[in-house]
Amino acid sequence: MEGSSGQNNTYAKGLEGVIAAETEIGFVDGQEGRLVYRGYDITTLCDNSNYEEVSYLLNYGKLPNRKEMNDYLEKMKANSEIPESTYEIIEKFGRKTHPMVTLRTVISNLASYDPQESDSSIENQRRIAISITAKMPAIVGAIHRTIQGKDIIKTKSELSYAGNFLYYALGRNPDSVETKIMDTALMLHADHGMNASTFSSLVTISTLADIYSATTSAISTLKGPLHGGANERALKMIMDIGSPDRAGPYLEAMVARKEKIMGFGHRVYKVYDPRAKILKKYAAYISEKSEKKNIFETANKVEEIMINKLGEKGIFPNVDFYSGMIYYSMGLSPEIFTPIFALGRISGWTARSLEYLQSNKLFRPKALYVGEKGPKSYISIQERQ
Ligand SMILES: CC(C)(COP(=O)(O)OP(=O)(O)OC[C@H]1O[C@@H](n2cnc3c(N)ncnc32)[C@H](O)[C@@H]1OP(=O)(O)O)[C@@H](O)C(=O)NCCC(=O)NCCS
């Protein structure tokens, strides 16, 4: 395609297939069904690690030794204080506001307490990254409490990242199994290639704005139903189906209407999403424990039918198919599912923004002008039809 400058320009709608940055942080192998963070397979990390370590790994490039881990945890603890105005916004926005709108507003508002937010040195921006990450469990937890019409829990909790979130969200100490399952879900959501929200955080940081702004952009982008939000819709569909014996006719009708089955298919994975594989076993466990076994059995039937029908086309369950029912079985409201995605993805957003900032180049793609080239003569407003 010939551009206005006379150069050859390739037009890729939605930047599909365009390589826009180099990264050492993570990659998605859609053919083999692998997700890798800095060389470690996600399955290895979920079996052996925890969210805090994974957050360090993504942001610093290696797994921490004991001292590095303790220092990182200390910094997180020192930054976990939530300004009172954050709670005021959450309470004021209440149930009438989309939780992602509340989340992006409070993250953006945190910048107003930081006199150094615009110092774009890596060191300072890394400080901001830790500060935001450390506050996320209490913030997302508080948003959940207001959605459920309950009081915000302000008493400090000193559990793990996942445990703290559950404590602030549910108003009780989670048991070790619930904590492990949430911890795993957060590790699985921590990074996933050059997805839309990660890309928008890079665009923002590339202007030498700050990590508050980059994270606010990322949260805004994640809000859209084509990105975050499919897990809520997958759960709704499974609950609508109601029982395994209704799955066949329900799916037949959806396929006949050419509707997409929520929680299936992926732009990159053409085999079973490795994240869904890990979550499925936890979904089986937690739904039985919480007496929501029927939801899992219905989902399992949906999976069986879908794989028989569309497996050949490379359509398999994705991460969203089982994550929603896990959160729901824990007593979390569906409206908080996308903020939970952000709670995990924050480490990927900050790691990739900081990586990009280290060899920064302002994002400035072009658009292909397909309008009239003129020059047209100007007609005054009095004479226009
Ligand atoms: C994620 C998604 C957007 C990826 O789409 P994509 O790579 O652009 O693939 P396409 O939409 O072009 O689909 C390719 C084919 O598979 C079919 N397909 C893809 N996902 C499907 C689904 N969930 N249900 C039924 N059919 C599906 C399409 O209808 C299309 O069929 P065709 O070739 O006969 O037209 C898509 O699979 C989808 O909308 N899934 C449901 C929403 C979801 O779970 N999103 C979360 C992703 S993590």
Side-chain angles (χ1 to χ4, degrees):
M1 183 92 29
E2 181 89 348
S4 56
S5 60
Q7 302 156 336
N8 278 329
N9 294 320
T10 309
Y11 168 47
K13 193 168 186 179
L15 299 183
E16 189 171 1
V18 173
I19 296 172
E22 280 184 317
T23 184
E24 294 179 359
I25 291 172
F27 91 101
V28 185
D29 183 338
Q31 298 305 320
E32 295 292 322
R34 286 182 68 214
L35 171 60
V36 174
Y37 296 166
R38 299 222 186 244
Y40 294 92
D41 218 286
I42 192 64
T43 330
T44 308
L45 292 170
C46 287
D47 285 347
N48 299 287
S49 190
N50 56 53
Y51 185 79
E52 289 85 333
E53 265 197 4
V54 164
S55 176
Y56 187 98
L57 172 69
L58 293 170
N59 279 278
Y60 293 87
K62 67 186 266 290
L63 283 172
N65 61 30
R66 174 52 54 205
K67 180 177 181 317
E68 289 162 340
M69 189 74 252
N70 286 343
D71 288 350
Y72 192 53
L73 294 177
E74 272 310 311
K75 279 187 195 155
M76 293 268 251
K77 200 169 144 189
N79 279 282
S80 61
E81 197 68 37
I82 309 292
E84 196 51 38
S85 74
T86 296
Y87 292 129
E88 283 164 17
I89 294 170
I90 294 172
E91 272 164 350
K92 197 166 174 198
F93 281 17
R95 300 165 83 165
K96 63 184 186 307
T97 308
H98 192 295
M100 290 297 277
V101 172
T102 309
L103 182 60
R104 77 166 176 233
T105 306
V106 297
I107 296 298
S108 180
N109 180 54
L110 289 176
S112 67
Y113 293 91
D114 189 341
Q116 279 171 325
E117 42 93 20
S118 39
D119 165 359
S120 59
S121 67
I122 298 291
E123 205 178 74
N124 187 49
Q125 295 303 316
R126 201 178 281 291
R127 173 191 64 77
I128 297 173
I130 293 173
S131 172
I132 297 175
T133 307
K135 293 177 178 63
M136 286 288 280
I139 289 174
V140 179
I143 295 173
H144 183 252
R145 298 289 291 177
T146 49
I147 286 169
Q148 292 201 329
K150 295 180 177 154
D151 288 341
I152 292 175
I153 309 289
K154 296 182 185 171
T155 323
K156 275 231 170 210
S157 143
E158 308 229 329
L159 302 170
S160 63
Y161 190 85
N164 273 344
F165 163 64
L166 288 172
Y167 164 82
Y168 290 120
L170 300 173
R172 62 170 172 83
N173 278 328
D175 67 32
S176 59
V177 177
E178 288 172 319
T179 306
K180 170 66 191 160
I181 295 175
M182 182 53 70
D183 190 51
T184 304
L186 296 176
M187 283 191 269
L188 292 172
H189 283 88
D191 188 66
H192 207 246
M194 186 65 94
N195 54 83
S197 57
T198 297
F199 180 56
S200 72
S201 73
L202 296 192
V203 172
T204 304
I205 205 73
S206 84
T207 68
L208 299 187
D210 53 89
I211 295 279
Y212 295 109
S213 305
T215 305
T216 307
S217 293
I219 294 170
S220 303
T221 309
L222 184 65
K223 176 176 180 285
L226 292 186
H227 189 3
N231 54 9
E232 195 179 330
R233 293 197 286 157
L235 174 68
K236 189 173 174 300
M237 179 190 77
I238 295 161
M239 289 170 76
D240 239 29
I241 295 174
S243 62
D245 56 303
R246 283 170 38 101
Y250 191 101
L251 294 173
E252 286 293 345
M254 277 187 86
V255 171
R257 293 195 300 268
K258 296 202 180 314
E259 283 176 30
K260 293 265 173 74
I261 317 298
M262 286 301 119
F264 282 84
H266 197 273
R267 177 61 60 81
V268 184
Y269 294 120
K270 297 304 165 196
V271 292
Y272 208 111
D273 182 336
R275 301 168 299 171
K277 216 178 263 177
I278 295 169
L279 288 182
K280 184 177 177 181
K281 65 173 197 266
Y282 287 124
Y285 174 84
I286 194 96
S287 52
E288 173 140 17
K289 182 171 171 260
S290 61
E291 293 169 10
K292 295 194 172 71
K293 201 173 160 196
N294 193 40
I295 295 184
F296 178 76
E297 285 172 350
T298 306
N300 206 26
K301 188 72 191 169
V302 170
E303 175 183 321
E304 185 193 309
I305 296 170
M306 283 294 287
I307 293 180
N308 277 335
K309 234 184 203 352
L310 296 172
E312 266 184 1
K313 261 184 163 181
I315 312 282
F316 292 92
N318 60 49
V319 68
D320 292 320
F321 191 58
Y322 289 109
S323 59
M325 83 183 70
I326 287 177
Y327 304 149
Y328 180 71
S329 299
M330 284 181 178
L332 296 161
S333 297
E335 300 94 311
I336 204 69
F337 293 177
T338 313
I340 296 175
F341 190 147
L343 181 68
R345 186 57 55 86
I346 182 70
S347 294
W349 289 333
T350 59
R352 288 189 183 246
S353 297
L354 292 167
E355 180 188 56
Y356 193 81
L357 193 55
Q358 287 178 57
S359 55
N360 190 49
K361 185 167 173 71
L362 178 70
F363 276 102
R364 179 55 174 97
K366 294 196 229 174
L368 184 66
Y369 180 69
V370 292
E372 292 177 60
K373 288 215 169 125
K376 290 176 159 180
S377 51
Y378 184 83
I379 302 165
S380 70
I381 196 159
Q382 293 82 351
E383 291 169 41
R384 270 176 239 154
Q385 295 292 327

